[in-house]
């Protein structure tokens, strides 16, 4: 682990934190493939993204975006 990243507990906290920093359009370090619980698979090209099928919001902080395990769900359309 690289350390130094703030560890946020929930997906909602991640979305709020990243948006407050104006980094919600940033690209993650690795373009992960998300296997959504709805069955959709999509490329994670921004640190905050909605599933194109069910619109579940996925979020990760840019500094921890190298590990897919750090990507959290925040709820349907949480990021708007
Ligand atoms: Zn989905």
């Amino acid at each position: 682990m690289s350390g130094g990243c703030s560890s946020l507990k929930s997906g909602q906290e991640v979305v709020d934190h990243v948006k407050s920093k104006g980094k919600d359009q940033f690209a993650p370090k690795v373009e992960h493939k998300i296997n959504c619980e709805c069955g959709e698979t999509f490329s994670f090209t921004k640190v905050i993204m909605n599933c194109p099928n069910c619109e579940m919001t996925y979020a990760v902080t840019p500094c921890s975006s190298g590990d897919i395990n750090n990507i959290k769900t925040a709820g349907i359309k949480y990021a708007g």
Side-chain angles (χ1 to χ4, degrees), residues 11-78:
Q12 286 94 336
E13 285 180 298
V14 174
V15 172
D16 293 346
H17 176 78
V18 173
K19 280 193 163 185
S20 75
K21 301 284 186 183
K23 294 181 176 176
D24 49 305
Q25 299 295 316
F26 275 37
K29 292 177 184 173
V30 178
E31 190 177 306
H32 301 288
K33 286 272 189 268
I34 303 290
N35 295 309
C36 186
E37 57 198 24
C38 73
E40 183 78 15
T41 301
F42 64 98
S43 296
F44 195 66
T45 56
K46 292 184 292 188
V47 294
I48 297 176
M49 277 192 74
N50 289 351
C51 171
N53 183 49
C54 70
E55 304 195 77
M56 173 61 76
T57 298
Y58 287 82
V60 68
T61 57
C63 76
S64 61
S65 62
D67 185 348
I68 196 169
N69 295 307
N70 292 327
I71 300 173
K72 297 179 185 296
T73 56
I76 301 290
K77 289 187 180 178
Y78 186 78

